[in-house]
Amino acid sequence: MNQRPIIISVTSGKGGVGKTTTTGILSQQMADLGKRVLVLDGDLGMANLDLFYGVRTHYHLQDVISGDKKLKEILIPVRDNITLIPSGSGVLQLNQLNHFQRRSILDQISSLQNEFDVLLIDTAPGLNDNVLFLNCAADLVVTVITQDPASFTDAYALIKVLNQEFGQQKFFVMPNQVESEKLGHEIFQRFEKVVDHFLDVSLIYAGALPFEGRGALCTLQNAQNTNSAEFKRAVLELSTNLISVEQPVFKNYGIDFFFEQAIGWAS
């Protein structure tokens, strides 16, 4: 049992690469492996993980910020071993949090750390303050890419900022929507070649997820009912790779790093 949760962010420079679906299926597989998973919908203001899980959210983080609810009161158990922290969709205030509001939320998240083994964060795409903030607080940053050249460009930009402005050194890279495992490795190698040419960072191949012929998996039910043995194997491999990383890779400050970051961010 971990003394604190492993904090894993799932991020991307570009939208539409399957980041939220990846977060959802990872949470399911990690729960199946016996991990107690807390999922933070970190796409603040444009949240949609509740749709993936097929649950209705009556309250969300804006209710915590306003003082109407405590964090524990908005948690949603979506299945055994998976609990969701919902964020609001179309709530402008969540994209305009000051450092005191961030600290209030993360203080309450920290109080839950003994109840979970994994804190899985689905960030928004792009480079806004919330995206950088949540990625900086993670032990493992998983960057989702596809074959789309724009995906390469935007993922590179995100890694560059996290490295040069915030000192991040290690990044897990997950090619998504690939036609074969071989292609997944090739996409990673092409991306690694570009990044290594300009940045002094360590990229780690996390595994790749295959493209399902009927389209992207967008709900938990679809993910559970997929008939693709290849997809199930890939999800198991990806999840195992992440939760079995040796402890020295993790930041020694872990979830408490939220506080250090929260203090330093301008309102």
Side-chain angles (χ1 to χ4, degrees):
M1 189 73 66
N2 292 309
Q3 294 182 346
R4 64 168 181 80
I6 301 168
I7 307 170
I8 303 172
S9 66
V10 181
T11 194
S12 65
K14 179 182 180 297
V17 299
K19 174 182 53 58
T20 295
T21 299
T22 297
T23 303
I25 61 175
L26 280 176
S27 69
Q28 175 192 280
Q29 184 61 67
M30 289 176 178
D32 288 345
L33 290 170
K35 300 300 181 181
R36 302 167 301 168
V37 185
L38 179 63
V39 184
L40 170 61
D41 195 337
D43 194 348
L44 304 180
M46 294 292 288
N48 57 8
L49 259 174
D50 55 328
L51 299 178
F52 175 88
Y53 291 120
V55 296
R56 295 186 62 184
T57 58
H58 299 287
Y59 304 103
H60 48 69
L61 281 178
Q62 180 57 35
D63 297 295
V64 178
I65 294 169
S66 66
D68 294 332
K69 295 290 179 180
K70 297 294 185 183
L71 185 68
K72 284 191 173 184
E73 296 178 298
I74 71 166
L75 297 180
I76 302 176
V78 297
R79 54 148 288 185
D80 289 346
N81 283 343
I82 302 177
T83 302
L84 174 66
I85 302 175
S87 298
S89 180
V91 183
L92 181 62
Q93 295 93 324
L94 289 176
N95 263 321
Q96 300 174 334
L97 301 183
N98 61 46
H99 63 285
F100 298 108
Q101 291 169 325
R102 287 194 182 99
R103 181 171 184 131
S104 175
I105 292 171
L106 297 172
D107 187 8
Q108 294 184 62
I109 293 176
S110 181
S111 70
L112 303 173
Q113 63 179 312
N114 293 327
E115 302 177 26
F116 297 95
D117 304 305
V118 180
L119 171 57
L120 198 57
I121 304 172
D122 176 29
T123 79
L127 291 170
N128 71 36
D129 281 357
N130 286 330
V131 172
L132 299 176
F133 172 73
L134 292 171
N135 279 315
C136 283
D139 295 308
L140 309 179
V141 177
V142 180
T143 306
V144 181
I145 62 174
T146 66
Q147 297 184 73
D148 184 352
S151 167
F152 273 43
T153 301
D154 293 350
Y156 170 82
L158 175 62
I159 289 173
K160 178 180 179 180
V161 171
L162 289 171
N163 171 246
Q164 296 187 350
E165 300 297 327
F166 302 98
Q168 295 280 87
Q169 293 292 327
K170 294 181 183 292
F171 298 88
F172 285 75
V173 178
M174 194 213 83
N176 194 22
Q177 302 170 8
V178 301
E179 297 175 359
S180 67
E181 185 175 357
K182 178 181 178 182
L183 180 59
H185 281 281
E186 291 174 355
I187 292 171
F188 170 77
Q189 289 167 358
R190 292 203 303 266
F191 183 67
E192 183 180 40
K193 184 177 180 180
V194 172
V195 173
D196 283 350
H197 186 72
F198 296 102
L199 301 175
D200 183 19
V201 298
S202 174
L203 299 186
I204 303 166
Y205 180 69
L209 291 185
F211 176 76
E212 293 291 279
R214 64 173 176 268
L217 297 173
C218 59
T219 67
L220 179 60
Q221 183 177 3
N222 283 346
Q224 291 172 328
N225 294 338
T226 179
N227 293 320
S228 169
E230 180 187 5
F231 187 86
K232 292 178 180 179
R233 179 202 55 75
V235 173
L236 175 59
E237 180 180 354
L238 175 59
S239 302
T240 303
N241 286 347
L242 294 175
I243 62 179
S244 64
V245 173
E246 293 295 327
Q247 187 71 21
V249 173
F250 301 153
K251 295 171 181 172
N252 57 13
Y253 28 73
I255 202 166
D256 295 330
F257 185 55
F258 276 131
F259 297 106
E260 299 301 322
Q261 289 292 324
I263 292 171
W265 283 69
S267 60

